[in-house]
Amino acid sequence: MCYIISNCSIHLNNLQLQITGGDRIRRRFLRFDVWLCLLFSVLLAIGAGKIANKILPQKYEEYKTEHKVDTGEVGGIADDAIFRAQNIEDLLSHDTFTVVSPGIEYRNKGAGYYKGYYMYALTLPSGERVAARINSDSVVNDGEYFTGNSTLPVGRIIKADLTAQATFLEQIEYKETLDRKDFYIDMVGEAEIASEDNFIETPVMIIQLVIVLITFPIFHTIGSKLGIFPYFFPPKNKKENEWD
């Protein structure tokens, strides 16, 4: 009998602790005035985001135009005057060059990020493989997208120790290894531009966050002065009146 009573006492104590814990959890819920001000701020931020989404795409097109390089320059379209490299020796013996790749093979042999640059594993006509940054806007295809020959943008050699980033090599060499890891081909040059997502979505998110952070306390302060909401931090004169 004592054992049963003792167990009952323990269960009651546990139940009391759970109820107390539940009360504490309920007290952590935000007050109605906080939710209301937050709602107004979020609605305002959504409206600002929609306006920004209408303006920024046009700005992005202007941005792309400003960063467009001329034909024959590094990152630009390779005309007939640009040397067609066949192997690594050709790459190293010319200041600028281009590579002709079948279809979209240049994009399907592996890729990875090296110091923030996205690079492809490019297979040269000789079968040798090297890392290359490629400006896709300057790739010219002379036939079918998948079966024709793609003339890649004008490129140049950039000396770099690709082995310094093991993760990059794991990414780009997931099919086959690179034949040279002491340089990469830069086929972007001054044509480097931010992606559309980074140019538009990131600023919109920042704008919306700033609007919420600024307008939330403003809305609540206005409501508090009108007597609709309680103060977060009561004014000094209000505290003195309460003491009186």
Side-chain angles (χ1 to χ4, degrees):
M1 187 71 176
C2 290
Y3 175 78
I4 295 174
I5 293 172
S6 177
N7 279 339
C8 288
S9 177
I10 291 172
H11 287 306
L12 287 172
N13 287 334
N14 288 337
L15 180 60
Q16 184 178 2
L17 287 174
Q18 290 175 2
I19 292 173
T20 304
D23 288 340
R24 290 173 182 166
I25 292 173
R26 283 196 294 271
R27 287 171 189 165
R28 291 176 185 170
F29 289 151
L30 294 176
R31 298 191 320 236
F32 172 75
D33 56 307
V34 175
W35 282 113
L36 188 60
C37 292
L38 190 59
L39 175 63
F40 289 153
S41 297
V42 169
L43 290 175
L44 192 61
I46 291 173
K50 288 183 177 181
I51 294 173
N53 276 317
K54 290 182 178 179
I55 297 174
L56 289 177
Q58 182 180 352
K59 294 294 182 182
Y60 182 69
E61 293 303 319
E62 295 174 1
Y63 167 74
K64 284 173 60 177
T65 301
E66 292 173 358
H67 287 75
K68 188 175 181 179
V69 295
D70 295 333
T71 297
E73 294 183 358
V74 174
I77 294 174
D79 56 19
D80 294 337
I82 302 299
F83 178 76
R84 267 63 174 163
Q86 302 296 313
N87 50 46
I88 291 177
E89 184 178 353
D90 287 345
L91 301 180
L92 298 173
S93 60
H94 291 78
D95 293 331
T96 59
F97 48 81
T98 186
V99 175
V100 178
S101 177
I104 57 171
E105 180 185 90
Y106 66 93
R107 299 173 57 181
N108 294 333
K109 295 295 184 178
Y113 282 96
Y114 176 76
K115 294 185 177 179
Y117 297 144
Y118 192 69
M119 298 192 187
Y120 296 99
L122 174 62
T123 301
L124 302 175
S126 64
E128 297 167 302
R129 299 177 75 246
V130 294
R133 294 181 63 210
I134 302 173
N135 176 21
S136 58
D137 290 337
S138 296
V139 176
V140 178
N141 191 283
D142 64 4
E144 293 293 329
Y145 181 70
F146 294 101
T147 59
N149 288 324
S150 296
T151 302
L152 303 185
V154 179
R156 62 183 174 183
I157 291 294
I158 301 294
K159 295 291 184 180
D161 181 12
L162 304 183
T163 63
Q165 292 193 357
T167 303
F168 165 69
L169 288 180
E170 290 175 2
Q171 294 171 342
I172 200 169
E173 293 185 327
Y174 85 98
K175 285 189 175 180
E176 299 177 41
T177 59
L178 299 176
D179 288 287
R180 292 290 292 266
K181 302 175 185 177
D182 58 337
F183 70 81
Y184 65 85
I185 300 175
D186 175 21
M187 291 182 169
V188 176
E190 297 300 322
E192 180 178 4
I193 60 174
S195 68
E196 188 171 2
D197 288 345
N198 288 336
F199 189 90
I200 297 176
E201 292 183 7
T202 302
V204 168
M205 289 176 60
I206 294 173
I207 289 170
Q208 291 178 324
L209 179 61
V210 170
I211 286 176
V212 171
L213 293 176
I214 292 176
T215 59
F216 171 76
I218 291 175
F219 284 141
H220 198 276
T221 300
I222 293 173
S224 299
K225 289 185 176 181
L226 293 175
I228 302 172
F229 306 141
Y231 282 96
F232 280 138
F233 304 102
K236 290 183 178 180
N237 58 352
K238 187 174 181 63
K239 289 182 178 179
E240 291 173 357
N241 291 335
E242 287 178 355
W243 281 107
D244 292 340

